[in-house]
Amino acid sequence: MRDSTAASIGARPDIAARRAAPGGAFRDRLAIALDLRIGTDAFSVAAGSIERLQIHATSHGFDAEVTFTVSSELETDALFPRFCSNDLIAATLSVANGNQGFADEEAPPLRLAGFVTERRLEETVGDDQAGKPVVGRRYTARIVDPAQAFWRQHRPLELHAGASMKQVLEQHVCPGMRLAFDWPRLDEAADVLCVGLGGESAASFYDLVVWFVHENGGVLELDAAEGRYRLGASKSRAGAGASLDADLVGEVRLVVPEPPRRAATVLNAFADAAVRTKSVANDHAAAGVRRDALVRAPAPGRADRRAALEARRLAPGEPLLDIALRRCPPALSPPGSAVALGEEFSDRLYPAGKRYRIIALELGARSAPDAGEPDLDDGDAPFEVTLRLRAEREADPVPRLPAFRRPAYPVIVEGRVLSASGAEGERTWHALEGESDSLHRVRIDIPLWNRVVVAPFVPGRVPGHFFVPPYKGQRVLVALGLDDAQICGYLDWAARLPQGTQGDQIVLGKRGEDQTTVRHVYEDSKPALRVERRLAGDLQTLVLSEGTIRLEVREDPATASEAPTYDLRPTVDAAKERVSAEARGAVTALNGQLEAATGGVSQRLKGASAEVEAGLAAASSTLSGKIEAAEAELSGAMSGAAGALQAIAAGVSEAKAAILGALYG
């Protein structure tokens, strides 16, 4: 054992004796090509010009750095002015085995298409030449996949209503990027969908996407050759790959992950929830250790979905392979490809006969120091190479996602309350009732983005004794989450007291022409209470002041009676919003039930597959043991038979000697 989590399970002793160079480096020929596009100009760099290459590629992205030389002794270095410009540089890096006769000529090279995010260069001056001209430049470029190049700088702050995450992502596709969706969760439309980043946010759009995938139990996969990102509910099947022969492998380590040692509980804080607690068992949990997840879900589907997510997170990962190669294989397989150990390896090794998926590739190459003066235009060249692969079982359920920053919510903005009741300018209220949860919501217009969102129609921070709903046109402060909104403050008054007047006022009713006000003010430093009811020209007033109670009923001729007007557009909009919300709720609930059911079936299928594989392994082990026992018994029997024959031969010899002695003695 090398350490607590890595065991050396290398090849046969004769192969293990032929170790690679110190540090795992070996010498090999690589065919490397770097294509750069800067605006409308294209440049190609061959393997003979490349001094150093470092690649870290995973199933969800890559980061590469390449250093190459361009000579300007005989011709002008056309790359220099374009490399130093502010234009975007698109880069495609291709790497393949460069040994003719050994390389797989039909296999595509390892191809990484991305963009340059860092540039450096060094200039070499001809000291022995007149004017000391620049005779060569050493360029270094860091290349990353399109999502890292652009989404890590992308910090939009925007609001969507009635949209799905798929629609949001499609609006943020950047150059060199393609998106593929294989996940029903992305098709679910939400009443509110806020991309809450902005210039002050530490999290980027890249972080938001990875966070969303993590929080919903999905996967993110990249086809680096095509720049195609797949967002899926589960991992895709491993692509075409190859087996690694024993003469290619320097060392294989088994990395055994520690399974989660906790159980999980989903707590539903909704007071009227039919089921408040859902326990998620874990056969590998330590006694008393758990992780509680809190939701506040009126509809049971959300709590069920969270329980299914917690169950998937508790699934233990299978042992990984960490493979150090001693030679470049005939074809370089990218992350996502299948890989297996060759038949030369002992079938007693754990990974023997198992199918794996490459999840990471580390390749380092430096031009061979003793290869002589290189031809800068050569398509392949000798390099000192290090090459390592990390692979997982194809059925391993554990997602492999990059690190991310959690976006900071809520986003606080202003809005105006909408109501389908009453005419323009009236302080009316209207609430939408949800069919799936029977909860009421109020519609709010967000002028900044010209979007209408819905927020809970609840008392807020005042007791339920006071039914004072937000009214049409009222300015409110709205707290936006990723997929929800809440009123967190009120920003204007229905009617203010005159400036300089000390007191308080309650305004009840729809508008100034038909309302009731309760006003408590100070007159001559003495409190006075005035209750006034107004309906068109009718005015009733009750005044309580120092030593006086006055009740007055009169008609105010200055106030003309107006014919009521009605605007049906808010009613139609509210009806449309209610139907859309009900449809979205039904789709979300159905998807949640489907995910829970699919997750259970998938877990059972994986469990059955594991049981079958374990049974086959046990049967194979038993059969091998019986064969060995039979061979040992046969060997013992043969040894016994040989001993008996030797004893008989010795007896015959003794008898023969005795007879001869009797005859001639």
Side-chain angles (χ1 to χ4, degrees), residues 187-213:
D187 293 317
E188 296 176 9
D191 294 332
V192 180
L193 202 52
C194 176
V195 180
L197 301 172
E200 301 302 322
S201 174
S204 65
F205 193 76
Y206 187 85
D207 295 308
L208 175 74
V209 173
V210 179
W211 170 67
F212 179 87
V213 172

Side-chain angles (χ1 to χ4, degrees), residues 537-601:
D538 294 333
L539 180 64
Q540 298 88 37
T541 306
L542 172 64
V543 179
L544 287 78
S545 59
E546 182 69 16
T548 303
I549 298 179
R550 180 168 59 89
L551 177 61
E552 180 182 3
V553 179
R554 67 185 176 88
E555 184 174 347
D556 186 359
T559 306
S561 177
E562 297 181 4
T565 61
Y566 300 95
D567 186 359
L568 296 180
R569 287 176 298 175
T571 305
V572 173
D573 292 342
K576 290 168 60 178
E577 179 66 30
R578 183 177 65 253
V579 172
S580 299
E582 290 173 359
R584 290 193 294 268
V587 171
T588 300
L590 182 60
N591 280 340
Q593 296 172 5
L594 180 62
E595 283 185 10
T598 304
V601 171

Side-chain angles (χ1 to χ4, degrees), residues 217-515:
V219 297
L220 175 65
E221 297 172 336
L222 169 64
D223 179 351
E226 302 294 333
R228 187 175 68 92
Y229 295 86
R230 174 183 175 271
L231 290 89
S234 59
K235 298 178 184 180
S236 58
R237 184 172 177 81
S243 62
L244 296 176
D245 295 335
D247 61 344
L248 299 175
V249 178
E251 185 178 61
V252 180
R253 288 193 171 201
L254 191 66
V255 182
V256 183
E258 183 69 12
R261 298 300 180 188
R262 58 174 178 82
T265 305
V266 177
L267 307 176
N268 190 351
F270 182 62
D272 296 330
V275 179
R276 295 182 175 85
T277 303
K278 286 181 174 292
S279 298
V280 182
N282 179 11
D283 296 337
H284 308 285
V289 180
R290 74 174 191 272
R291 177 179 182 269
D292 294 338
L294 182 66
V295 298
R296 190 163 71 92
R302 183 180 171 191
D304 293 339
R305 169 176 283 181
R306 184 56 186 265
L309 173 61
E310 294 298 328
R312 291 196 298 273
R313 288 176 173 174
L314 293 177
E318 299 193 40
L320 308 175
L321 294 187
D322 196 353
I323 306 171
L325 298 179
R326 64 169 64 241
R327 185 180 181 185
C328 184
L332 284 173
S333 300
S337 303
V339 67
L341 297 185
E343 297 179 353
E344 299 89 346
F345 287 89
S346 169
D347 58 3
R348 299 299 181 84
L349 295 176
Y350 175 85
K354 295 182 175 67
R355 182 180 169 92
Y356 287 83
R357 176 195 292 109
I358 298 174
I359 58 174
L361 178 147
E362 291 274 0
L363 187 149
R366 288 182 177 274
S367 57
D370 56 348
E373 189 68 22
D375 185 341
L376 301 184
D377 295 326
D378 280 352
D380 58 75
F383 290 89
E384 294 291 331
V385 182
T386 58
L387 180 57
R388 302 188 71 91
L389 305 176
R390 174 156 287 200
E392 66 177 4
R393 289 295 307 279
E394 190 174 21
D396 193 323
V398 178
R400 315 289 175 187
L401 295 174
F404 62 87
R405 291 186 178 95
R406 184 180 296 270
Y409 284 99
V411 175
I412 307 298
V413 295
E414 289 191 19
R416 289 195 178 273
V417 176
L418 299 176
S419 171
S421 176
E424 188 68 26
E426 294 185 344
R427 296 187 298 269
T428 57
W429 64 271
H430 180 80
L432 302 171
E433 182 178 1
E435 183 177 351
S436 60
D437 52 19
S438 299
L439 297 181
H440 290 80
R441 296 170 177 84
V442 61
R443 299 167 64 241
I444 305 171
D445 175 52
I446 308 297
L448 176 60
W449 293 292
N450 193 27
R451 294 286 187 272
V452 175
V453 301
V454 294
F457 185 72
V458 294
R461 289 182 170 84
V462 299
H465 298 83
F466 300 91
F467 184 76
V468 188
Y471 56 83
K472 178 190 290 188
Q474 185 176 21
R475 282 177 59 223
V476 293
L477 210 56
V478 182
L480 298 172
L482 173 69
D483 55 4
D484 69 331
Q486 294 187 21
I487 296 176
C488 60
Y490 302 91
L491 301 177
D492 58 9
W493 314 99
R496 285 182 53 182
L497 290 174
Q499 187 73 19
T501 302
Q502 294 299 317
D504 309 283
Q505 178 173 265
I506 300 175
V507 178
L508 307 173
K510 298 190 296 184
R511 56 182 179 167
E513 293 78 12
D514 50 0
Q515 68 180 18

